Protein backbone atom coordinates (compact mmCIF):
# COMPACT_ATOMS: atom_id res chain seq x y z
CA UNK A 1 0.00 0.00 0.00
CA UNK A 2 1.41 3.33 -1.01
CA UNK A 3 1.74 5.88 1.77
CA UNK A 4 0.67 9.38 0.84
CA UNK A 5 2.94 12.30 1.74
CA UNK A 6 0.84 14.69 3.82
CA UNK A 7 3.10 17.63 2.95
CA UNK A 8 1.88 19.89 0.15
CA UNK A 9 3.73 19.42 -3.08
CA UNK A 10 5.89 22.35 -4.18
CA UNK A 11 4.60 23.84 -7.40
CA UNK A 12 7.05 24.85 -10.09
CA UNK A 13 7.43 28.62 -10.61
CA UNK A 14 5.13 29.78 -13.37
CA UNK A 15 6.94 30.89 -16.50
CA UNK A 16 7.31 34.63 -16.97
CA UNK A 17 4.52 35.67 -19.31
CA UNK A 18 5.51 36.74 -22.77
CA UNK A 19 4.74 40.25 -23.90
CA UNK A 20 1.23 40.36 -25.31
CA UNK A 21 0.48 41.92 -28.64
CA UNK A 22 -2.10 44.19 -27.04
CA UNK A 23 -1.60 47.45 -25.20
CA UNK A 24 0.34 45.83 -22.35
CA UNK A 25 2.77 44.29 -24.84
CA UNK A 26 3.19 47.65 -26.54
CA UNK A 27 3.97 49.33 -23.23
CA UNK A 28 6.64 46.81 -22.27
CA UNK A 29 8.13 46.84 -25.77
CA UNK A 30 8.38 50.64 -25.81
CA UNK A 31 9.78 50.54 -22.28
CA UNK A 32 12.44 48.06 -23.43
CA UNK A 33 13.52 50.28 -26.35
CA UNK A 34 13.47 53.35 -24.12
CA UNK A 35 15.71 51.48 -21.68
CA UNK A 36 18.31 50.35 -24.22
CA UNK A 37 18.34 53.67 -26.08
CA UNK A 38 19.10 55.45 -22.82
CA UNK A 39 22.38 53.53 -22.52
CA UNK A 40 23.65 55.52 -25.51
CA UNK A 41 21.64 58.68 -24.89
CA UNK A 42 22.30 59.38 -21.21
CA UNK A 43 26.09 59.93 -21.44
CA UNK A 44 25.70 62.15 -24.51
CA UNK A 45 22.91 64.21 -22.98
CA UNK A 46 24.85 64.64 -19.74
CA UNK A 47 27.76 66.11 -21.70
CA UNK A 48 25.53 68.30 -23.88
CA UNK A 49 23.43 69.62 -20.99
CA UNK A 50 26.36 70.26 -18.65
CA UNK A 51 28.53 71.99 -21.26
CA UNK A 52 25.51 73.85 -22.60
CA UNK A 53 24.79 75.19 -19.12
CA UNK A 54 28.39 76.40 -18.79
CA UNK A 55 28.20 78.03 -22.22
CA UNK A 56 24.99 79.83 -21.29
CA UNK A 57 26.70 81.49 -18.32
CA UNK A 58 30.02 82.21 -20.07
CA UNK A 59 29.55 85.98 -19.91
CA UNK A 60 29.05 85.80 -16.16
CA UNK A 61 31.57 83.02 -15.52
CA UNK A 62 34.67 84.19 -17.39
CA UNK A 63 34.78 87.73 -15.86
CA UNK A 64 34.63 86.09 -12.42
CA UNK A 65 37.51 83.76 -13.27
CA UNK A 66 39.61 86.47 -14.99
CA UNK A 67 38.70 89.79 -13.34
CA UNK A 68 42.15 91.23 -14.04
CA UNK A 69 41.50 90.89 -17.78
CA UNK A 70 37.82 91.67 -18.17
CA UNK A 71 37.59 94.60 -15.76
CA UNK A 72 38.85 98.03 -16.82
CA UNK A 73 38.95 100.67 -14.09
CA UNK A 74 38.01 104.12 -15.24
CA UNK A 75 40.37 106.83 -13.95
CA UNK A 76 38.77 109.58 -11.90
CA UNK A 77 37.79 112.57 -13.99
CA UNK A 78 38.25 110.83 -17.36
CA UNK A 79 35.15 110.87 -19.55
CA UNK A 80 36.57 109.69 -22.88
CA UNK A 81 38.16 106.43 -24.05
CA UNK A 82 41.20 106.09 -26.26
CA UNK A 83 40.59 105.57 -30.00
CA UNK A 84 40.37 101.93 -31.05
CA UNK A 85 43.24 102.49 -33.47
CA UNK A 86 45.45 103.38 -30.47
CA UNK A 87 44.26 100.29 -28.61
CA UNK A 88 45.09 98.13 -31.64
CA UNK A 89 48.57 99.64 -31.80
CA UNK A 90 49.09 98.80 -28.12
CA UNK A 91 48.09 95.19 -28.77
CA UNK A 92 50.42 94.98 -31.77
CA UNK A 93 53.33 96.31 -29.69
CA UNK A 94 52.65 93.81 -26.91
CA UNK A 95 52.26 90.87 -29.32
CA UNK A 96 54.31 91.73 -32.43
CA UNK A 97 54.19 88.18 -33.80
CA UNK A 98 50.39 87.93 -33.61
CA UNK A 99 48.03 88.55 -36.53
CA UNK A 100 45.26 90.87 -35.36
CA UNK A 101 41.88 89.74 -36.67
CA UNK A 102 39.17 91.76 -34.95
CA UNK A 103 38.27 94.13 -32.16
CA UNK A 104 35.14 93.99 -30.00
CA UNK A 105 33.79 97.06 -28.24
CA UNK A 106 33.40 96.80 -24.45
CA UNK A 107 29.95 95.76 -23.26
CA UNK A 108 29.99 98.37 -20.45
CA UNK A 109 32.18 101.22 -19.26
CA UNK A 110 33.76 98.84 -16.72
CA UNK A 111 34.78 96.23 -19.29
CA UNK A 112 37.92 96.00 -21.38
CA UNK A 113 38.20 96.00 -25.16
CA UNK A 114 38.74 92.48 -26.52
CA UNK A 115 41.05 92.12 -29.51
CA UNK A 116 41.09 88.77 -31.28
CA UNK A 117 44.38 87.59 -32.76
CA UNK A 118 46.04 84.50 -34.15
CA UNK A 119 49.44 83.42 -32.92
CA UNK A 120 52.21 82.10 -35.20
CA UNK A 121 51.37 78.51 -34.21
CA UNK A 122 47.77 79.02 -35.34
CA UNK A 123 46.26 79.19 -31.85
CA UNK A 124 43.67 81.89 -31.07
CA UNK A 125 44.39 84.65 -28.60
CA UNK A 126 42.16 87.16 -26.82
CA UNK A 127 44.04 90.36 -25.97
CA UNK A 128 42.43 92.59 -23.34
CA UNK A 129 43.05 96.33 -23.45
CA UNK A 130 42.00 99.03 -20.99
CA UNK A 131 40.06 101.45 -23.23
CA UNK A 132 40.75 104.42 -20.94
CA UNK A 133 44.52 104.29 -21.17
CA UNK A 134 45.12 101.94 -24.11
CA UNK A 135 47.03 99.64 -21.75
CA UNK A 136 47.28 95.92 -22.49
CA UNK A 137 45.96 94.03 -19.46
CA UNK A 138 46.98 90.59 -20.68
CA UNK A 139 45.70 87.79 -22.89
CA UNK A 140 44.39 84.26 -22.87
CA UNK A 141 43.65 81.45 -25.27
CA UNK A 142 39.83 81.27 -25.45
CA UNK A 143 40.00 77.55 -26.21
CA UNK A 144 41.63 76.88 -22.83
CA UNK A 145 39.08 78.76 -20.73
CA UNK A 146 36.30 76.93 -18.92
CA UNK A 147 33.85 78.17 -21.55
CA UNK A 148 36.24 77.22 -24.34
CA UNK A 149 36.56 73.65 -23.10
CA UNK A 150 32.78 73.48 -22.72
CA UNK A 151 32.25 74.64 -26.31
CA UNK A 152 34.69 72.09 -27.71
CA UNK A 153 33.30 69.22 -25.63
CA UNK A 154 29.79 70.24 -26.66
CA UNK A 155 30.74 70.15 -30.33
CA UNK A 156 32.76 66.96 -30.73
CA UNK A 157 34.15 65.84 -27.36
CA UNK A 158 37.42 67.47 -28.47
CA UNK A 159 37.96 64.38 -30.65
CA UNK A 160 37.40 65.68 -34.16
CA UNK A 161 35.23 63.77 -36.62
CA UNK A 162 34.78 60.68 -34.44
CA UNK A 163 33.57 62.75 -31.51
CA UNK A 164 31.22 64.69 -33.79
CA UNK A 165 29.73 61.44 -35.13
CA UNK A 166 29.26 60.05 -31.63
CA UNK A 167 27.47 63.21 -30.46
CA UNK A 168 25.28 63.16 -33.57
CA UNK A 169 24.42 59.49 -32.98
CA UNK A 170 23.44 60.25 -29.38
CA UNK A 171 21.37 63.26 -30.47
CA UNK A 172 19.45 61.20 -33.06
CA UNK A 173 18.63 58.48 -30.55
CA UNK A 174 17.75 61.11 -27.95
CA UNK A 175 15.00 62.42 -30.24
CA UNK A 176 13.55 58.92 -30.56
CA UNK A 177 13.97 58.27 -26.84
CA UNK A 178 12.00 61.43 -26.06
CA UNK A 179 9.12 60.27 -28.30
CA UNK A 180 9.13 56.84 -26.64
CA UNK A 181 9.18 58.54 -23.26
CA UNK A 182 6.03 60.50 -24.03
CA UNK A 183 4.24 57.26 -24.96
CA UNK A 184 5.29 55.76 -21.61
CA UNK A 185 4.25 58.95 -19.83
CA UNK A 186 0.75 58.79 -21.30
CA UNK A 187 0.24 55.05 -20.82
CA UNK A 188 1.63 55.01 -17.29
CA UNK A 189 -0.44 57.87 -15.89
CA UNK A 190 -2.81 55.60 -13.94
CA UNK A 191 0.02 53.64 -12.32
CA UNK A 192 1.74 56.88 -11.31
CA UNK A 193 -1.44 58.20 -9.72
CA UNK A 194 -1.24 55.32 -7.22
CA UNK A 195 2.37 56.14 -6.30
CA UNK A 196 2.71 59.90 -6.87
CA UNK A 197 5.90 60.24 -4.78
CA UNK A 198 7.84 57.34 -6.27
CA UNK A 199 11.07 57.79 -8.22
CA UNK A 200 9.29 56.49 -11.31
CA UNK A 201 6.68 59.24 -11.01
CA UNK A 202 9.33 61.90 -10.55
CA UNK A 203 11.29 60.63 -13.56
CA UNK A 204 8.14 60.74 -15.69
CA UNK A 205 7.26 64.29 -14.65
CA UNK A 206 10.80 65.55 -15.13
CA UNK A 207 11.00 63.82 -18.50
CA UNK A 208 7.70 65.33 -19.64
CA UNK A 209 9.14 68.81 -19.05
CA UNK A 210 12.60 67.97 -20.35
CA UNK A 211 11.26 66.39 -23.53
CA UNK A 212 9.83 69.64 -24.90
CA UNK A 213 13.05 71.56 -24.50
CA UNK A 214 15.15 68.54 -25.45
CA UNK A 215 13.46 68.11 -28.81
CA UNK A 216 13.75 71.86 -29.49
CA UNK A 217 17.44 71.96 -28.56
CA UNK A 218 18.31 68.81 -30.50
CA UNK A 219 16.49 69.84 -33.68
CA UNK A 220 17.97 73.34 -33.60
CA UNK A 221 21.44 71.86 -33.01
CA UNK A 222 21.36 69.38 -35.91
CA UNK A 223 22.49 71.97 -38.53
CA UNK A 224 25.89 72.07 -36.77
CA UNK A 225 26.45 68.32 -37.02
CA UNK A 226 29.19 67.07 -39.31
CA UNK A 227 27.11 64.51 -41.21
CA UNK A 228 23.42 65.49 -41.03
CA UNK A 229 24.18 69.20 -41.28
CA UNK A 230 26.58 68.73 -44.18
CA UNK A 231 24.14 66.54 -46.10
CA UNK A 232 21.21 68.93 -45.63
CA UNK A 233 23.40 71.89 -46.63
CA UNK A 234 24.46 70.06 -49.79
CA UNK A 235 20.84 69.29 -50.60
CA UNK A 236 19.88 72.92 -49.95
CA UNK A 237 22.70 74.13 -52.21
CA UNK A 238 21.39 71.98 -55.04
CA UNK A 239 18.01 73.66 -54.60
CA UNK A 240 19.58 77.12 -54.81
CA UNK A 241 19.31 77.97 -51.12
CA UNK A 242 21.37 77.54 -47.93
CA UNK A 243 21.04 76.90 -44.21
CA UNK A 244 23.65 79.57 -43.56
CA UNK A 245 23.82 83.23 -44.47
CA UNK A 246 26.06 83.80 -47.46
CA UNK A 247 27.68 87.11 -46.55
CA UNK A 248 30.26 87.68 -49.26
CA UNK A 249 31.97 90.44 -47.32
CA UNK A 250 32.77 88.69 -44.04
CA UNK A 251 36.18 87.80 -45.38
CA UNK A 252 37.99 87.68 -42.05
CA UNK A 253 36.52 85.61 -39.25
CA UNK A 254 36.38 87.38 -35.86
CA UNK A 255 37.05 83.95 -34.35
CA UNK A 256 36.07 84.73 -30.76
CA UNK A 257 34.15 82.27 -28.58
CA UNK A 258 33.52 84.96 -25.97
CA UNK A 259 32.02 87.67 -28.20
CA UNK A 260 28.25 87.65 -27.80
CA UNK A 261 27.61 90.05 -30.70
CA UNK A 262 28.71 87.63 -33.42
CA UNK A 263 26.00 86.06 -35.59
CA UNK A 264 26.70 82.32 -35.57
CA UNK A 265 24.76 81.72 -38.77
CA UNK A 266 27.39 83.29 -41.03
CA UNK A 267 29.20 81.16 -43.59
CA UNK A 268 32.25 81.79 -45.73
CA UNK A 269 31.20 80.84 -49.29
CA UNK A 270 34.24 82.46 -50.90
CA UNK A 271 36.38 79.69 -49.37
CA UNK A 272 35.03 77.46 -52.12
CA UNK A 273 35.39 80.18 -54.73
CA UNK A 274 31.63 80.44 -55.22
CA UNK A 275 31.12 84.04 -54.19
CA UNK A 276 33.06 87.16 -55.09
CA UNK A 277 34.43 89.03 -52.10
CA UNK A 278 33.89 92.83 -51.95
CA UNK A 279 37.12 94.75 -52.23
CA UNK A 280 38.30 98.17 -51.18
CA UNK A 281 38.93 100.35 -54.21
CA UNK A 282 42.09 102.40 -53.66
CA UNK A 283 42.02 104.19 -57.01
CA UNK A 284 42.62 107.90 -56.59
CA UNK A 285 43.99 107.55 -53.07
CA UNK A 286 47.34 106.78 -51.52
CA UNK A 287 47.53 104.10 -48.84
CA UNK A 288 44.96 103.37 -46.20
CA UNK A 289 42.92 106.42 -45.22
CA UNK A 290 40.12 104.94 -43.11
CA UNK A 291 40.80 103.05 -39.90
CA UNK A 292 38.83 101.02 -37.40
CA UNK A 293 37.39 104.16 -35.76
CA UNK A 294 36.17 105.38 -39.15
CA UNK A 295 34.51 102.02 -39.76
CA UNK A 296 32.69 102.17 -36.41
CA UNK A 297 31.49 105.71 -37.08
CA UNK A 298 30.20 104.76 -40.52
CA UNK A 299 28.46 101.65 -39.19
CA UNK A 300 26.83 103.66 -36.41
CA UNK A 301 25.40 106.06 -39.01
CA UNK A 302 24.03 103.01 -40.82
CA UNK A 303 22.09 102.11 -37.68
CA UNK A 304 24.07 99.14 -36.35
CA UNK A 305 23.52 98.30 -32.70
CA UNK A 306 26.36 98.57 -30.20
CA UNK A 307 28.60 97.09 -28.96
CA UNK A 308 30.00 96.24 -32.38
CA UNK A 309 32.66 93.78 -33.49
CA UNK A 310 34.98 94.87 -36.31
CA UNK A 311 36.77 92.28 -38.43
CA UNK A 312 39.89 93.90 -39.88
CA UNK A 313 40.80 93.71 -43.59
CA UNK A 314 42.32 90.34 -44.42
CA UNK A 315 44.23 91.66 -47.45
CA UNK A 316 45.60 94.88 -48.91
CA UNK A 317 42.32 95.51 -50.74
CA UNK A 318 40.10 94.07 -48.01
CA UNK A 319 37.31 95.81 -46.12
CA UNK A 320 36.39 96.53 -42.52
CA UNK A 321 33.46 94.23 -41.67
CA UNK A 322 31.48 95.79 -38.83
CA UNK A 323 29.02 93.42 -37.15
CA UNK A 324 26.19 94.93 -35.13
CA UNK A 325 25.06 93.57 -31.78
CA UNK A 326 22.19 91.12 -32.29
CA UNK A 327 22.67 88.68 -29.43
CA UNK A 328 19.08 88.97 -28.20
CA UNK A 329 17.46 89.21 -31.65
CA UNK A 330 18.71 87.18 -34.65
CA UNK A 331 16.46 89.27 -36.89
CA UNK A 332 18.72 92.26 -36.09
CA UNK A 333 21.84 90.56 -37.47
CA UNK A 334 23.50 93.01 -39.84
CA UNK A 335 27.02 93.64 -41.14
CA UNK A 336 28.36 96.76 -42.85
CA UNK A 337 31.49 96.49 -45.01
CA UNK A 338 33.53 99.69 -45.17
CA UNK A 339 36.16 100.62 -47.76
CA UNK A 340 39.54 100.82 -46.01
CA UNK A 341 40.65 103.69 -48.28
CA UNK A 342 37.64 105.97 -48.69
CA UNK A 343 35.68 105.06 -45.58
CA UNK A 344 32.56 104.53 -47.68
CA UNK A 345 30.09 101.67 -47.39
CA UNK A 346 30.96 98.93 -49.88
CA UNK A 347 27.98 96.71 -49.05
CA UNK A 348 25.67 95.70 -46.24
CA UNK A 349 24.32 92.28 -45.40
CA UNK A 350 21.72 91.36 -42.81
CA UNK A 351 18.97 89.03 -41.73
CA UNK A 352 16.59 90.31 -44.42
CA UNK A 353 19.12 89.21 -47.07
CA UNK A 354 19.35 85.65 -45.76
CA UNK A 355 17.68 82.82 -47.69
CA UNK A 356 14.45 81.75 -46.00
CA UNK A 357 16.05 78.52 -44.78
CA UNK A 358 18.96 80.47 -43.29
CA UNK A 359 16.49 82.74 -41.47
CA UNK A 360 14.86 79.67 -39.92
CA UNK A 361 18.26 78.28 -38.90
CA UNK A 362 19.30 81.65 -37.44
CA UNK A 363 16.18 81.74 -35.27
CA UNK A 364 16.79 78.13 -34.26
CA UNK A 365 20.34 78.97 -33.24
CA UNK A 366 19.03 81.87 -31.20
CA UNK A 367 16.70 79.50 -29.35
CA UNK A 368 19.42 76.88 -28.98
CA UNK A 369 21.78 79.38 -27.37
CA UNK A 370 19.08 80.88 -25.16
CA UNK A 371 19.30 84.40 -26.57
CA UNK A 372 16.41 85.03 -28.99
CA UNK A 373 14.11 86.68 -26.46
CA UNK A 374 16.62 87.92 -23.94
CA UNK A 375 16.23 86.64 -20.40
CA UNK A 376 13.11 84.63 -21.27
CA UNK A 377 14.91 82.13 -23.50
CA UNK A 378 18.09 82.39 -21.43
CA UNK A 379 16.45 81.11 -18.27
CA UNK A 380 14.27 78.69 -20.22
CA UNK A 381 17.39 77.13 -21.76
CA UNK A 382 19.09 77.00 -18.36
CA UNK A 383 16.02 75.26 -16.90
CA UNK A 384 15.96 72.79 -19.78
CA UNK A 385 19.62 71.92 -19.22
CA UNK A 386 18.93 71.36 -15.52
CA UNK A 387 15.89 69.11 -16.06
CA UNK A 388 17.73 67.12 -18.75
CA UNK A 389 20.51 66.47 -16.23
CA UNK A 390 17.91 65.48 -13.62
CA UNK A 391 16.24 63.12 -16.08
CA UNK A 392 19.60 61.52 -16.93
CA UNK A 393 20.22 60.93 -13.21
CA UNK A 394 16.79 59.64 -12.17
CA UNK A 395 16.55 57.18 -15.07
CA UNK A 396 19.65 55.09 -14.20
CA UNK A 397 18.84 55.42 -10.49
CA UNK A 398 15.38 54.00 -11.13
CA UNK A 399 16.91 51.01 -12.93
CA UNK A 400 19.45 50.49 -10.14
CA UNK A 401 16.71 50.28 -7.53
CA UNK A 402 14.48 47.84 -9.41
CA UNK A 403 17.14 45.55 -10.88
CA UNK A 404 17.42 41.97 -9.62
CA UNK A 405 20.76 40.40 -8.77
CA UNK A 406 21.95 37.83 -11.26
CA UNK A 407 19.49 38.99 -13.90
CA UNK A 408 22.03 40.66 -16.17
CA UNK A 409 20.84 44.05 -17.30
CA UNK A 410 17.36 43.14 -16.10
CA UNK A 411 15.88 45.02 -19.02
CA UNK A 412 12.11 45.23 -19.51
CA UNK A 413 10.82 42.31 -21.59
CA UNK A 414 8.88 42.88 -24.76
CA UNK A 415 9.13 42.79 -28.54
CA UNK A 416 8.13 45.67 -30.76
CA UNK A 417 5.54 44.31 -33.24
CA UNK A 418 7.23 45.86 -36.26
CA UNK A 419 6.12 43.19 -38.76
CA UNK A 420 2.48 43.31 -37.65
CA UNK A 421 2.16 47.10 -37.47
CA UNK A 422 2.45 48.95 -40.81
CA UNK A 423 2.18 52.35 -39.11
CA UNK A 424 5.07 51.56 -36.77
CA UNK A 425 7.17 50.24 -39.64
CA UNK A 426 6.42 53.35 -41.71
CA UNK A 427 7.32 55.60 -38.79
CA UNK A 428 10.66 53.85 -38.27
CA UNK A 429 11.45 54.10 -41.98
CA UNK A 430 10.68 57.84 -41.99
CA UNK A 431 12.82 58.43 -38.90
CA UNK A 432 15.59 56.33 -40.40
CA UNK A 433 15.59 58.41 -43.57
CA UNK A 434 15.43 61.76 -41.75
CA UNK A 435 18.04 60.67 -39.20
CA UNK A 436 20.46 58.38 -41.06
CA UNK A 437 22.58 57.62 -38.00
CA UNK A 438 19.47 56.40 -36.20
CA UNK A 439 18.38 54.33 -39.21
CA UNK A 440 21.72 52.58 -39.68
CA UNK A 441 22.21 51.78 -36.00
CA UNK A 442 18.58 50.65 -35.67
CA UNK A 443 19.14 48.08 -38.42
CA UNK A 444 22.33 46.94 -36.67
CA UNK A 445 20.48 46.55 -33.36
CA UNK A 446 17.64 44.59 -34.98
CA UNK A 447 20.09 42.23 -36.68
CA UNK A 448 22.01 41.79 -33.41
CA UNK A 449 18.76 41.07 -31.57
CA UNK A 450 17.57 38.48 -34.09
CA UNK A 451 20.85 36.65 -34.70
CA UNK A 452 22.36 36.66 -31.21
CA UNK A 453 20.13 37.89 -28.41
CA UNK A 454 17.13 35.75 -29.40
CA UNK A 455 19.19 32.65 -30.28
CA UNK A 456 22.02 32.47 -27.76
CA UNK A 457 20.56 31.57 -24.32
CA UNK A 458 23.29 33.30 -22.30
CA UNK A 459 22.90 36.55 -24.24
CA UNK A 460 19.14 36.27 -24.09
CA UNK A 461 19.25 36.06 -20.30
CA UNK A 462 21.72 38.94 -20.04
CA UNK A 463 19.72 41.25 -22.29
CA UNK A 464 16.39 40.24 -20.78
CA UNK A 465 15.01 38.50 -23.87
CA UNK A 466 14.31 35.22 -22.03
Amino acid sequence: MTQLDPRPQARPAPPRPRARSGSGGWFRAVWRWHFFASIVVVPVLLVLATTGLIYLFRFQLEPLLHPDLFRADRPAGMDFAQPYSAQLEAAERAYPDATILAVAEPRTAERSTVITAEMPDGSPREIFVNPWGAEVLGSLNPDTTVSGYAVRLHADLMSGAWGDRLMELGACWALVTALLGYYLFWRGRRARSRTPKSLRSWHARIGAVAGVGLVTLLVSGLPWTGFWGAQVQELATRQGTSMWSLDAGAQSSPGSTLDESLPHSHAVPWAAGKTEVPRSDGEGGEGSVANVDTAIEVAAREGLRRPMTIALPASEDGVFSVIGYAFDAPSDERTVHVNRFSGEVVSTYGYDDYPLLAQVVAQGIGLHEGRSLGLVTFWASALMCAVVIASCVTGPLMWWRRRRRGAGLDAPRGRMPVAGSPWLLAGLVVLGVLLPFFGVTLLAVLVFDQLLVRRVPAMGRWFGAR
Side-chain angles (χ1 to χ4, degrees):
M1 183 175 182
T2 304
Q3 186 175 3
L4 298 176
D5 188 351
R7 293 174 299 177
Q9 297 294 321
R11 297 180 178 179
R16 194 165 182 172
R18 292 182 177 271
R20 302 186 304 274
S21 59
S23 59
W26 268 92
F27 182 85
R28 299 192 69 85
V30 171
W31 185 13
R32 179 176 175 83
W33 277 93
H34 186 77
F35 171 84
F36 280 112
S38 67
I39 296 176
V40 176
V41 168
V42 165
V44 172
L45 287 185
L46 277 175
V47 172
L48 289 175
T50 303
T51 55
L53 198 59
I54 294 172
Y55 185 72
L56 276 174
F57 287 93
R58 65 195 181 281
F59 302 125
Q60 293 76 28
L61 181 63
E62 296 302 335
L64 289 176
L65 296 176
H66 308 282
D68 55 324
L69 298 179
F70 282 83
R71 183 174 179 82
D73 294 326
R74 181 175 180 176
M78 179 173 286
D79 57 357
F80 63 90
Q82 296 296 315
Y84 288 106
S85 55
Q87 298 180 50
L88 284 172
E89 290 175 0
E92 291 171 345
R93 287 194 301 269
Y95 299 89
D97 295 332
T99 301
I100 305 299
L101 301 177
V103 54
E105 291 189 295
R107 293 180 60 201
T108 65
E110 292 76 30
R111 289 289 182 88
S112 55
T113 301
V114 182
I115 297 174
T116 304
E118 183 180 287
M119 303 305 290
D121 61 358
S123 63
R125 181 71 59 176
E126 302 282 343
I127 304 172
F128 298 84
V129 181
N130 187 331
W132 304 107
E135 302 163 351
V136 175
L137 302 175
S139 68
L140 55 79
N141 183 338
D143 286 346
T144 61
T145 62
V146 172
S147 300
Y149 281 120
V151 170
R152 293 194 288 155
L153 285 170
H154 193 87
D156 58 13
L157 297 176
M158 298 170 58
S159 302
W162 284 103
D164 176 81
R165 299 298 187 267
L166 179 59
M167 298 300 275
E168 184 173 345
L169 174 64
C172 291
W173 274 95
L175 285 171
V176 178
T177 304
L179 298 178
L180 296 176
Y182 276 114
Y183 175 85
L184 296 175
F185 178 82
W186 174 254
R187 284 295 320 284
R189 62 191 185 282
R190 292 183 180 178
R192 290 195 309 275
S193 65
R194 294 191 291 269
T195 56
K197 295 184 179 181
S198 66
L199 184 61
R200 180 181 179 182
S201 296
W202 278 110
H203 178 74
R205 294 189 184 98
I206 292 172
V209 176
V212 176
L214 182 61
V215 171
T216 301
L217 292 174
L218 290 173
V219 171
S220 59
L222 280 175
W224 278 312
T225 56
F227 181 82
W228 190 95
Q231 298 303 314
V232 173
Q233 174 61 18
E234 183 177 347
L235 179 62
T237 302
R238 292 175 185 171
Q239 302 301 318
T241 184
S242 172
M243 289 198 300
W244 308 103
S245 60
L246 304 178
D247 183 358
Q251 54 186 313
S252 41
S253 171
S256 173
T257 57
L258 304 179
D259 187 355
E260 64 181 277
S261 66
L262 300 179
H264 292 178
S265 55
H266 275 193
V268 284
W270 59 89
K274 296 181 180 179
T275 307
E276 185 179 353
V277 182
R279 303 291 184 184
S280 293
D281 184 5
E283 185 176 353
E286 296 182 1
S288 177
V289 177
N291 59 21
V292 64
D293 296 290
T294 307
I296 292 176
E297 183 179 349
V298 171
R301 289 202 302 265
E302 292 292 316
L304 261 64
R305 293 175 60 188
R306 305 185 86 152
M308 304 176 193
T309 296
I310 305 90
L312 305 183
S315 61
E316 290 298 326
D317 58 351
V319 295
F320 290 100
S321 298
V322 188
I323 304 167
Y325 182 88
F327 183 79
D328 55 349
S331 57
D332 288 348
E333 291 180 4
R334 191 159 171 254
T335 302
V336 173
H337 304 292
V338 180
N339 189 308
R340 69 179 301 176
F341 300 107
S342 66
E344 297 177 349
V345 175
V346 177
S347 65
T348 62
Y349 191 84
Y351 181 85
D352 293 339
D353 303 307
Y354 295 1
L356 178 60
L357 182 59
Q359 291 182 342
V360 174
V361 171
Q363 294 293 344
I365 291 174
L367 287 174
H368 189 92
E369 295 186 338
R371 58 183 177 84
S372 286
L373 301 174
L375 291 178
V376 174
T377 46
F378 176 86
W379 287 111
S381 295
L383 176 63
M384 286 301 111
C385 289
V387 294
V388 167
I389 293 173
S391 182
C392 290
V393 171
T394 55
L397 183 60
M398 186 170 58
W399 165 78
W400 183 262
R401 286 187 176 183
R402 75 164 182 81
R403 69 186 180 90
R404 298 169 298 164
R405 291 184 178 180
L409 289 177
D410 199 17
R413 296 172 182 259
R415 297 188 69 171
M416 196 75 78
V418 177
S421 178
W423 287 107
L424 175 61
L425 180 60
L428 292 176
V429 170
V430 170
L431 283 173
V433 172
L434 294 177
L435 305 172
F437 275 25
F438 165 75
V440 171
T441 52
L442 175 64
L443 287 176
V445 169
L446 291 175
V447 171
F448 177 77
D449 182 68
Q450 291 298 321
L451 296 184
L452 293 176
V453 175
R454 302 289 173 180
R455 299 189 180 190
V456 179
M459 296 192 70
R461 288 190 294 271
W462 174 260
F463 285 98
R466 295 176 179 270

